Amino acid sequence: MSPGDPPQEPTHQFALLGQRRFAPFFWTQFAGAANDNLFKFAFTMLVTYQLGLAWLPPSMAGLVIGAVFILPFVLFSATSGQLADKIEKSRLVRALKTLEVLIMLMAALGWLAPGQPWQVPLLLVCTFLMGLHSTLFGPVKYAWLPQTLRESELMGGNGMVEMGTFVAILLGNLAGGLLIALPGQGPAWVAAACVLLAVAGRVAAGAMPTAPAPDPHLVINWNPVTETWRNLRMAREEPQLFSTLLGISWMWFFGAVFLSLFPGFAREVLHGNERVASLLLILFSVGIGSGALLCERLGRGRAGLALVPLGALGMSVFTIDLYFAVRGLPASSLMGAGEFMRHGVHWRVMVDLLLLSLSTGLYSVPMYAFMQRRSRPTHRARMVAALNILNALFMVLSSLLAGALLGLGLTSPEVFLCVALANAVMTLWVVVAVPALRQGFGPSMHEVKP
């Protein structure tokens, strides 16, 4: 345990927000996630609606910006895992948050240079650097919790982080869309908001207690290719751990399909405008956050994997029902969120979306807790780095597969149906591959061989 003031008994997840061992870390990662999404969404809206670039058309803006952001996860996750195992974590986080402030100050030059030929290239460079910042922060984020929380608090702590991440994503996207649309001064407001969020994250990081490096004598391998391969090979040496990593990455695959198809689904299937698409995003984020918070109560504070099959079942069942709920919806002109909610048939859609995302939260949080407990402390950050590599690859694969299915003539509800059926198969495989799922609970940390 780190400094702070941990109680003698396991702490309820919300009470963690009043303790130094958790609260500064929580708000640091919350501010970072909000900043990432505010920046990316505002940049996408700037290119899509306000600029007319021949070399970056609106139809490609989201894909290009997303790809530039995720590229560092593939290239540098292995290196970031080594740094998080070698360097004292609070010191590393403070350095990363200082880097974020500098990146946002650089980005402000781009936001405040309308019409300059270097504006978008500079913002793309900053997008890559923000992706690099998130890549370096990721292993610290999930290695911090088992080092500072009791084993019985891991479920609740992970639930809080998962909830906070998706609320930050939601608020960041909403703020980015609203600020960039302000007449005349939108980019300036975005620049100010991004810098302020970065500064807020740095201030929160300054209050984080010390978390000693688990392997301070580690010799860094700076070759990302060989280190990536070594991390994945290390994970494969523990079959249940590697299967758990694949299960978590599948959750990101599943969620990425929905997030990428929401705009087209809202417009072409539900006949709703941008506000309806935002409503779907709100429901999805609230659902995942609610499911994440429920895990502590349903799992009774332990890293219980019994919730994983339950969550996976809900992911498939409610996605399949969503497919049937939108079949035969009558054609209409585009409607706003208020009009959309006045139609009773749309409530089934919203309930399905809320429950399938809630199920996703139930599925993911116990998997993260099990991964943290199962990993050797000296290699935990490198296991998170391996997970980040897999997450990035799965999200890229989800975009390619969704695009291919749409290219074959499938509608977005039919793509959702395909993902729901694939989820059932994937869940069956994970249950077979991870015996702890059938037992209900994973082994305690002291039961895992070093």
Side-chain angles (χ1 to χ4, degrees):
M1 300 290 292
S2 71
D5 48 356
Q8 295 302 310
E9 297 297 328
T11 303
H12 188 273
Q13 60 196 113
F14 286 105
L16 291 172
L17 287 176
Q19 298 183 14
R20 184 176 171 228
R21 61 190 174 123
F22 182 80
F25 159 77
F26 176 86
W27 293 115
T28 298
Q29 67 88 29
F30 185 94
N35 209 6
D36 284 345
N37 287 276
L38 191 158
F39 178 88
K40 287 190 299 177
F41 195 72
F43 187 18
T44 302
M45 293 299 100
L46 177 72
V47 176
T48 301
Y49 291 103
Q50 300 184 21
L51 303 179
L53 302 175
W55 61 274
L56 186 57
S59 60
M60 295 296 295
L63 292 175
V64 170
I65 292 169
V68 170
F69 183 83
I70 206 171
L71 181 60
F73 285 88
V74 179
L75 297 178
F76 303 114
S77 283
T79 304
S80 68
Q82 295 177 89
L83 293 173
D85 277 334
K86 181 179 177 64
I87 302 174
E88 191 274 310
K89 290 182 177 58
S90 66
R91 181 163 65 93
L92 179 58
V93 170
R94 286 191 286 271
L96 292 176
K97 289 299 156 181
T98 299
L99 174 64
E100 183 183 5
V101 173
L102 296 176
I103 295 170
M104 288 297 96
L105 289 173
M106 184 191 307
L109 297 177
W111 289 115
L112 299 176
Q116 295 295 329
W118 46 266
Q119 179 188 27
V120 172
L122 177 60
L123 291 176
L124 283 173
V125 169
C126 293
T127 301
F128 180 86
L129 293 175
M130 284 298 286
L132 176 61
H133 161 269
S134 296
T135 300
L136 295 172
F137 183 72
V140 183
K141 175 179 175 178
Y142 286 106
W144 174 274
L145 293 175
Q147 195 168 344
T148 56
L149 300 184
R150 288 186 167 84
E151 186 175 299
S152 57
E153 297 169 330
L154 271 181
M155 182 79 82
N158 276 281
M160 291 296 292
V161 169
E162 191 87 349
M163 177 275 298
T165 298
F166 277 92
V167 171
I169 290 172
L170 171 64
L171 294 178
N173 281 328
L174 292 177
L178 291 172
L179 291 176
I180 196 65
L182 292 175
Q185 297 298 317
W189 281 103
V190 171
C194 288
V195 172
L196 287 174
L197 277 172
V199 171
R202 178 60 182 84
V203 171
M208 289 174 61
T210 300
D215 193 1
H217 303 296
L218 174 67
V219 178
I220 302 292
N221 175 15
W222 296 102
N223 186 323
V225 176
T226 59
E227 186 61 25
T228 295
W229 177 249
R230 185 163 68 178
N231 279 0
L232 294 175
R233 187 176 59 192
M234 188 188 310
R236 283 185 60 85
E237 291 174 357
E238 172 56 75
Q240 290 197 64
L241 176 60
F242 188 67
S243 299
T244 302
L245 299 185
L246 292 176
I248 295 172
S249 294
W250 171 256
M251 183 273 294
W252 286 102
F253 179 103
F254 184 91
V257 170
F258 279 86
L259 293 175
S260 64
L261 295 183
F262 271 162
F265 177 65
R267 180 182 178 87
E268 299 166 10
V269 178
L270 301 179
H271 312 295
N273 63 11
E274 297 91 336
R275 290 181 176 82
V276 173
S278 297
L279 174 63
L280 301 184
L281 176 63
I282 291 171
L283 290 172
F284 195 78
S285 301
V286 168
I288 291 183
S290 300
L293 292 177
L294 281 174
C295 286
E296 185 195 43
R297 180 173 296 276
L298 297 178
R300 297 182 178 88
R302 295 167 289 180
L305 289 176
L307 294 176
V308 175
L310 175 65
L313 177 64
M315 289 161 66
S316 287
V317 167
F318 294 115
T319 302
I320 292 171
D321 191 70
L322 178 66
Y323 166 76
F324 287 105
V326 299
R327 291 185 68 186
L329 287 180
S332 70
S333 57
L334 292 184
M335 63 187 82
E339 183 182 355
F340 176 82
M341 296 176 66
R342 283 197 291 270
H343 294 273
V345 66
H346 295 150
W347 280 91
R348 179 180 172 187
V349 174
M350 292 189 289
V351 170
D352 279 334
L353 187 59
L354 182 66
L355 291 179
L356 75 87
S357 57
L358 184 148
S359 300
T360 305
L362 293 178
Y363 171 91
S364 63
V365 169
M367 299 276 269
Y368 273 111
F370 180 77
M371 178 269 293
Q372 291 162 343
R373 299 168 75 223
R374 191 80 183 188
S375 303
R376 285 179 285 173
T378 56
H379 291 69
R380 186 176 287 133
R382 277 167 280 179
M383 287 302 98
V384 177
L387 173 61
N388 286 342
I389 295 166
L390 292 172
N391 287 346
L393 294 175
F394 270 61
M395 285 189 284
V396 170
L397 180 60
S398 75
S399 297
L400 295 175
L401 182 60
L405 292 175
L406 292 173
L408 291 174
L410 273 66
T411 64
S412 51
E414 290 169 341
V415 174
F416 295 157
L417 178 63
C418 290
V419 172
L421 298 176
N423 181 69
V425 175
M426 180 68 180
T427 301
L428 179 62
W429 175 81
V430 172
V431 170
V432 172
V434 184
L437 283 170
R438 302 193 295 277
Q439 300 165 3
F441 296 93
S444 298
M445 201 64 217
H446 65 270
E447 299 174 307
V448 180
K449 296 180 180 179

